[in-house]
């Protein structure tokens, strides 16, 4: 008999009751916020059209209003345009149930309705805005999601996108009055008029009547919106992205000391750019990062499997509170079963992890012929290998290894999230294993005789998991094979019985698609994967791992709905460093990373640069 305490179970097996139904299958999108967001988009477009297109705004009252004293048509046009643009910006936040987006929409809709009536003199247009305001007020309790983690890059991105949008919309505003335009201004004149107008100055294009004022107010409104939203994002109170605190790290290390042998990715939970939620008892935890509105966990929960449901529930509660899309990348089959059972989410096989059992590894035999010949050839060329624990290296050598790993990275963007630790040589990571290749040259380079590096993190007490692979581009091909063999051969000396190598995405599809009898669909899928391998290391990682005759352990992605998969995939590519939306500094302007203390050291890249 099992007893539930604080969302967890005693008795050896996680509860298989109706917990998934009680969690409502995760934070499913609410119908009302989604419909309200779509309606806000429609009302925003109507407001923009009312402020921009002259024919759109004519009504029976228009002729009378133009002769009334004190008419504020141009100002109302700019107000309608401003309300429309801001509603478009808020629509996504409304779909995600954001409280601040709700407050702003409630304030903007009456303004838009008043502008519609004052400028277009359209009762229908005003009623549409009011009709959207009613469900917003009636269902205000559904718009309670907390803000996302903030970044100063949001201000720069807003400025670039809003400026581009304002230029395009400004050209439309300047060009939709052909009957009242004086002369025939060129495209350059109109563009100049837009740029001047965004800053509040008169440009080279002239119009008859009040049209000049309408265009000027509208362009000024676009410039005002761009400036205000950018300033708000740049100077609003900081809500920093979550980071792993020292206290969190101490707790996670204690859990890994007891239960770290369960998952080869467990040690990667100690990346310091992740946040963590613990189960009520503190016996389990889930680490994650929020990327583009996706709450992205990696690997299995850390800690006692009996306490996993409590940590998973905290994770889902956090996702629901912020209206984030929950997802898990690279969990094991056991982890996928618990996640899907406890939350009602779905799982999809993502690929396979290559695990080599040290006792079964040998260079003998026909299957290992290519690896054996490559290793012997490199050894005859004068290379030697060293396999040591990080704690056994001196600080000077560690610093040289760090600098070499950064310079040999090959890309400006650091890669790694679910299977990368994010540093080398931190004093707290003394159990990490490092394999290095050395060769004496007639003219030693900046890093002496160092030619290649492999870094492994602990996997319980008797295993290690590959973190990063780096090599000097001038070194002979085969450095990675040489160091993997060296690490496997030295493993018994360190009490290591199993080594996790790289993760091979869609490995089973690649393997089955090249066999005799594979159907046309499977062959087409394999062909697409081979094509994508030109940019992503899909086929090359599979073939590289297969050289060492590993056993394959499936890994899964856990998701809420099929419609979320593109968004999750894009967020995962951002987290792994394949997509970088920030503008990086030139390399010569970057400062060297500090020596490893509590601040982050070097971000790893779990990939292979096989020749």
């Amino acid at each position: 008999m099992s007893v539930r305490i604080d969302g967890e179970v005693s008795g050896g097996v996680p509860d298989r009751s109706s917990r998934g139904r009680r969690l409502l299958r995760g934070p499913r999108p609410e119908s009302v916020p989604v419909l309200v967001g779509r309606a806000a988009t429609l009302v925003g477009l109507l407001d923009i059209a009312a402020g921009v297109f002259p024919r759109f705004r004519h009504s029976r009252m228009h002729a009378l209003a133009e002769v009334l004293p004190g008419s504020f048509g141009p100002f109302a046009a700019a107000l309608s345009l401003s309300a429309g643009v801001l509603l478009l910006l808020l629509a996504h936040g409304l779909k995600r149930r954001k409280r601040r987006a709700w407050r702003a929409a409630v304030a903007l809709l009456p303004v838009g309705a008043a502008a519609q009536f004052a400028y277009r003199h359209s009762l229908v247009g005003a009623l549409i805005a009011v009709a959207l305001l009613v469900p917003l007020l009636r269902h205000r309790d559904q718009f309670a999601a907390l803000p996302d983690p903030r970044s100063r890059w949001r201000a720069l991105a807003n400025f670039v996108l809003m400026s581009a949008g304002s230029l395009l919309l400004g050209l439309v505003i300047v060009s939709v009055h052909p009957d009242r335009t004086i002369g025939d201004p060129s495209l350059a004149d109109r563009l100049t008029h837009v740029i001047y107008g965004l800053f509040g100055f008169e440009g080279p294009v002239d119009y008859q009547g009040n049209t000049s004022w309408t265009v000027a107010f509208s362009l000024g409104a676009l410039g005002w919106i761009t400036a205000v939203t950018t300033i708000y994002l740049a100077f609003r109170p900081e809500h920093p992205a979550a980071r792993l605190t020292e206290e969190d790290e101490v707790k996670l290390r204690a859990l890994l000391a007891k239960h770290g042998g369960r998952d080869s990715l467990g040690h990667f939970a100690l990346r310091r750019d992740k946040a963590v939620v613990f189960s009520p008892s503190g016996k389990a935890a889930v680490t994650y990062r929020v990327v583009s509105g996706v709450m992205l966990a990696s690997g299995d929960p850390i800690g006692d499997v009996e306490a996993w449901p409590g940590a998973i529930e905290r994770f889902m509660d956090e996702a629901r509170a912020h209206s984030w899309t929950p997802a898990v990348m690279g969990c094991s089959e056991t982890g996928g079963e618990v996640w899907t059972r406890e939350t009602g989410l779905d799982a999809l096989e993502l690929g396979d992890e290559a695990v080599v059992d040290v006792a079964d590894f040998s260079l003998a035999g026909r299957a290992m012929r290519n690896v054996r010949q490559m290793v012997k050839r490199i050894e005859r060329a004068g290379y030697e290998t060293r396999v040591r624990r990080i704690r056994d290296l001196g600080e000077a050598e560690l610093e040289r290894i760090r600098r070499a790993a950064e310079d040999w990275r090959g890309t400006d963007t650091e890669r790694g999230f679910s299977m990368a630790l994010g540093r080398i040589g931190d004093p707290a990571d003394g159990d990490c294993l490092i394999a290095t290749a050395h060769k004496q040259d007639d003219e030693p380079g900046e890093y002496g005789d160092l030619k290649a590096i492999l870094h492994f993190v602990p996997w319980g007490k008797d295993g290690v998991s590959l973190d990063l692979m780096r090599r000097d581009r001038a070194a002979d091909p085969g450095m990675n094979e040489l160091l993997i063999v060296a690490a496997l051969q030295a493993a018994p000396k360190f009490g290591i019985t199993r080594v996790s190598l790289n993760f091979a995405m869609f490995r089973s599809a690649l393997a089955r698609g090249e066999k005799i009898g594979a159907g046309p669909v499977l062959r087409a899928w394999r062909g697409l994967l081979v094509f994508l391998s030109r940019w992503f290391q899909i086929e090359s990682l599979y073939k590289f791992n297969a050289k060492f005759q590993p056993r394959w352990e499936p890994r899964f992605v856990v998701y809420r709905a099929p419609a979320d998969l593109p968004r999750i995939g894009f967020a995962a590519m951002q987290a792994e460093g394949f997509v970088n939306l920030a503008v990086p500094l030139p390399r010569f302007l970057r400062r060297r990373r500090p020596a490893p203390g509590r601040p982050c050291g070097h971000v790893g890249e779990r990939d292979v640069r096989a020749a």
Side-chain angles (χ1 to χ4, degrees):
M1 178 178 180
S2 62
V3 181
R4 179 169 296 280
I5 302 174
D6 292 333
E8 297 169 12
V9 180
S10 62
V13 181
D15 184 19
R16 298 174 183 265
S17 66
S18 60
R19 180 183 184 87
R21 292 191 295 273
R22 289 191 287 110
L23 284 177
L24 300 179
R25 300 181 64 83
R28 294 285 186 183
E30 299 288 348
S31 58
V32 171
V34 172
L35 291 176
V36 166
R38 292 173 180 171
T41 302
L42 175 61
V43 174
L45 291 174
L46 289 174
D47 285 343
I48 292 174
V52 172
F53 300 102
R55 294 181 180 178
F56 188 82
R57 61 174 176 262
H58 280 308
S59 69
R60 294 178 181 179
M61 296 178 61
H62 192 80
L64 176 63
E66 284 186 338
V67 299
L68 290 176
S71 175
F72 56 101
F75 176 74
L79 200 60
S80 178
L81 179 64
S82 301
V85 171
L86 291 174
L87 279 174
L88 288 181
L89 296 177
L90 293 172
H92 182 64
L94 290 173
K95 291 179 182 179
R96 296 182 58 204
R97 305 184 296 113
K98 294 297 183 179
R99 187 67 177 178
R100 291 184 177 178
W102 177 87
R103 290 171 180 168
V106 168
L108 273 175
L109 284 171
V111 174
Q116 284 264 8
F117 188 77
Y119 189 45
R120 280 187 64 215
H121 319 299
S122 170
L123 184 61
V124 174
L127 288 177
I128 290 176
V130 174
L132 175 58
L133 184 61
V134 172
L136 275 174
L137 295 174
R138 182 179 178 182
H139 299 282
R140 58 184 177 274
D141 57 322
Q142 294 194 25
F143 297 89
L146 300 175
D148 290 344
R150 298 169 185 163
S151 168
R152 299 305 183 199
W153 287 110
R154 290 283 301 277
L156 178 60
N158 177 85
F159 176 76
V160 172
L161 294 177
M162 287 293 295
S163 297
S166 297
L167 283 174
L168 293 176
L169 188 54
L171 281 175
V172 174
I173 293 172
V174 171
S175 304
V176 294
H177 306 277
D179 296 337
R180 299 203 173 191
T181 304
I182 298 175
D184 185 19
S186 65
L187 178 61
D189 290 335
R190 281 178 277 176
L191 184 60
T192 302
H193 192 87
V194 171
I195 296 174
Y196 276 44
L198 293 177
F199 287 94
F201 300 104
E202 190 68 27
V205 181
D206 292 324
Y207 301 91
Q208 299 174 359
N210 289 334
T211 304
S212 292
W213 287 102
T214 302
V215 172
F217 272 110
S218 299
L219 293 177
L222 289 176
W224 176 80
I225 293 174
T226 301
V228 168
T229 54
T230 301
I231 292 172
Y232 168 73
L233 292 173
F235 294 100
R236 62 181 172 172
E238 187 65 30
H239 181 73
R243 291 290 185 268
L244 203 65
T245 66
E246 291 187 41
E247 182 181 359
D248 292 337
E249 186 171 333
V250 170
K251 292 180 180 178
L252 285 174
R253 288 187 183 276
L255 293 178
L256 288 170
K258 294 181 180 179
H259 307 284
R262 182 178 295 277
D263 184 17
S264 64
L265 307 187
H267 201 86
F268 298 122
L270 298 175
R271 281 183 66 102
R272 288 165 183 162
D273 56 359
K274 291 183 177 181
V276 61
V277 289
F278 289 93
S279 65
S281 66
K283 294 181 180 179
V286 175
T287 59
Y288 67 92
R289 187 197 297 174
V290 179
V291 183
S292 297
V294 177
M295 192 176 181
L296 200 62
S298 58
D300 293 344
I302 306 300
D304 188 350
V305 68
E306 295 179 2
W308 284 7
I312 290 173
E313 182 175 10
R314 289 282 179 88
F315 177 89
M316 299 300 288
D317 288 343
E318 191 77 5
R320 186 180 299 106
H322 292 83
S323 192
W324 291 330
T325 300
V328 185
M329 296 294 297
C331 65
S332 68
E333 188 169 2
T334 300
E337 289 176 354
V338 177
W339 273 100
T340 55
R341 182 174 65 241
E342 297 300 319
T343 64
L345 302 179
D346 294 320
L348 180 69
E349 186 172 340
L350 188 61
D352 295 89
E353 177 186 14
V355 179
V356 178
D357 294 313
V358 173
D360 298 333
F361 177 77
S362 173
L363 286 177
R366 183 175 182 83
M368 298 298 295
R369 178 182 177 183
N370 290 337
V371 175
R372 182 174 63 250
Q373 290 178 343
M374 179 173 289
V375 169
K376 294 297 184 184
R377 176 179 57 80
I378 296 173
E379 289 177 341
R380 287 195 299 270
Y383 288 88
E384 64 175 29
T385 59
R386 303 169 193 169
V387 181
R388 294 160 289 176
R389 296 282 188 187
I390 285 290
R391 60 173 173 263
D392 297 329
L393 273 66
E395 183 57 38
E397 185 175 7
L398 266 178
E399 178 59 24
R400 184 167 68 252
I401 289 173
R402 288 190 207 102
R403 291 190 290 108
E406 181 173 353
D407 289 346
W408 295 344
R409 186 171 61 240
T411 61
D412 288 334
T413 304
E414 295 282 10
R415 292 179 179 172
F417 166 68
S418 57
M419 300 178 184
L421 181 60
R423 56 188 180 268
I424 295 178
D426 192 289
D429 300 321
D431 286 339
C432 290
L433 201 69
I434 190 162
T436 54
H438 304 262
K439 182 183 180 182
Q440 294 292 341
D441 294 326
D442 295 336
E443 297 182 2
E446 180 181 358
Y447 308 113
D449 62 351
L450 183 64
K451 300 300 179 184
I453 304 164
L454 259 63
H455 187 254
F456 299 83
V457 300
W459 174 12
K461 298 183 182 301
D462 62 347
V464 290
S465 185
L466 182 59
D467 176 23
L468 64 81
M469 310 171 76
R470 301 281 168 81
R471 67 179 180 87
D472 185 351
R473 301 302 180 199
D476 292 341
M479 290 292 102
N480 294 325
E481 289 89 339
L482 173 69
L483 288 180
I484 287 178
V485 170
L488 290 169
Q489 292 176 338
K493 180 176 65 175
F494 299 98
I496 294 171
T497 62
R498 52 187 179 167
V499 176
S500 169
L501 299 179
N502 294 287
F503 170 72
M505 290 186 64
F506 309 116
R507 194 275 314 176
S508 58
L510 289 169
R512 293 197 302 266
E514 62 184 357
K515 290 183 178 179
I516 296 178
V521 175
L522 189 56
R523 288 185 179 275
W525 175 226
R526 181 182 180 278
L528 176 61
L529 294 176
V530 172
F531 175 75
L532 293 176
S533 295
R534 298 180 181 182
W535 299 277
F536 306 102
Q537 295 172 329
I538 299 176
E539 186 184 28
S540 60
L541 276 176
Y542 160 56
K543 290 185 175 181
F544 179 83
N545 293 332
K547 293 179 181 180
F548 303 96
Q549 303 298 306
R551 55 183 170 89
W552 300 101
E553 297 288 344
R555 291 280 172 175
F556 299 83
V557 56
V558 177
Y559 61 98
R560 183 176 57 189
D564 292 334
L565 285 174
R567 185 179 181 186
I568 292 170
F570 184 72
M573 293 179 69
Q574 285 181 265
E576 296 287 352
F578 289 102
V579 175
N580 185 20
L581 300 182
V583 181
L585 288 173
R587 177 168 287 198
F588 70 89
L589 292 178
R590 299 177 204 165
R591 292 183 297 177
R592 289 285 188 186
R593 295 184 181 270
R598 179 67 183 100
C600 282
H602 175 72
V603 177
E605 181 182 4
R606 185 184 172 91
D607 66 354
V608 59
R609 308 291 184 184

